[in-house]
Amino acid sequence: MNLPDVEMTVLGVRVELPGNQPLVLLQDPGTGTLVPIWIGAPEASAIALWQQGLTPPRPMTHDLLIEVLSATGTALESVRIGSVEDAVFHAELILDNGARVDARASDAIACALRAEAPVLCAAEVLESAGVDPEQAEDVDEDSEDGVDEAVTGVTGAAERDAELNRFREFLDNVDPEDFADGGSSQS
């Protein structure tokens, strides 16, 4: 039985410290489940700038794509994050003419924000990569493993606890200003 996709809220872009690795954070508004997706610096900048209401003087790649679709009489209806394999999220752009275009999750999210299109997430992705924010609060803060593990949707109780600890530490130390210059500065 296929469960329905869940419309996600794009909470924003964060920087994982100390490595300065950006991630976009999605949330299921119904359950609060978080889905962290590691992304590249250019996509992080594109998402963060858009969410801050900053418009560059010339169109960025994601702006260009939405404009090209519009010029051809097509619109972005939604984006769908359909699977995660080895910590790599696979997405697709769903156009209003029925076409589906394979995309990186980061690019799909950046396009969805510009087109004001919903970001959908397959229930299977929520199950495998979702992080319960209440569990993150309960993780033992003294765990040394938490600093070395990544939030990647890995299963297993010990690995999940380490991931949640690192994720919680990351959320406690990040600010939106971390992306003011596209994440290229070193602290």
Side-chain angles (χ1 to χ4, degrees), residues 115-153:
E116 298 182 6
V119 176
L120 306 175
C121 188
E124 296 81 17
V125 172
L126 276 171
E127 178 66 28
S128 65
V131 178
D132 183 345
E134 289 182 22
Q135 285 180 332
E137 293 297 321
D138 295 336
V139 172
D140 179 14
E141 293 182 30
D142 296 329
S143 170
E144 293 178 17
D145 296 336
V147 175
D148 297 325
E149 298 295 323
V151 179
T152 59

Side-chain angles (χ1 to χ4, degrees), residues 5 7 75-81 92-96 99-101 108 111-112 115-120:
D5 292 341
E7 186 171 341
L76 180 62
E77 185 175 284
S78 63
V79 302
R80 180 177 188 268
I81 300 170
E92 62 185 348
L93 306 176
I94 301 171
L95 306 180
D96 66 355
R100 292 176 177 250
V101 180
C111 289
E116 298 182 6
V119 176
L120 306 175

Side-chain angles (χ1 to χ4, degrees), residues 14-27:
R14 309 286 189 264
V15 176
E16 179 265 333
L17 300 173
N20 290 330
Q21 176 64 43
L23 63 87
V24 62
L25 191 59
L26 305 179
Q27 184 176 41

Side-chain angles (χ1 to χ4, degrees), residues 28-178:
D28 174 351
T31 65
T33 300
L34 302 170
V35 177
I37 302 174
W38 302 107
I39 62 176
E43 295 79 21
S45 292
I47 292 168
L49 288 173
W50 185 263
Q51 286 192 311
Q52 292 173 9
L54 302 175
T55 305
R58 301 291 302 143
M60 294 180 71
T61 305
H62 304 98
D63 302 306
L64 177 63
L65 178 59
I66 298 303
E67 289 300 316
V68 167
L69 287 174
S70 177
T72 61
T74 306
L76 180 62
E77 185 175 284
S78 63
V79 302
R80 180 177 188 268
I81 300 170
S83 66
V84 59
E85 299 168 19
D86 298 322
V88 176
F89 289 80
H90 299 265
E92 62 185 348
L93 306 176
I94 301 171
L95 306 180
D96 66 355
N97 64 5
R100 292 176 177 250
V101 180
D102 186 36
R104 296 184 307 174
S106 56
D107 289 327
I109 293 166
C111 289
L113 290 172
R114 284 158 173 76
E116 298 182 6
V119 176
L120 306 175
C121 188
E124 296 81 17
V125 172
L126 276 171
E127 178 66 28
S128 65
V131 178
D132 183 345
E134 289 182 22
Q135 285 180 332
E137 293 297 321
D138 295 336
V139 172
D140 179 14
E141 293 182 30
D142 296 329
S143 170
E144 293 178 17
D145 296 336
V147 175
D148 297 325
E149 298 295 323
V151 179
T152 59
V154 179
T155 58
E159 292 175 10
R160 176 73 91 178
D161 285 349
E163 289 178 275
L164 291 173
N165 188 38
R166 182 175 178 188
F167 185 60
R168 183 173 179 219
E169 180 180 311
F170 166 76
L171 289 177
D172 289 341
N173 294 308
V174 72
D175 292 313
E177 291 78 30
D178 292 337

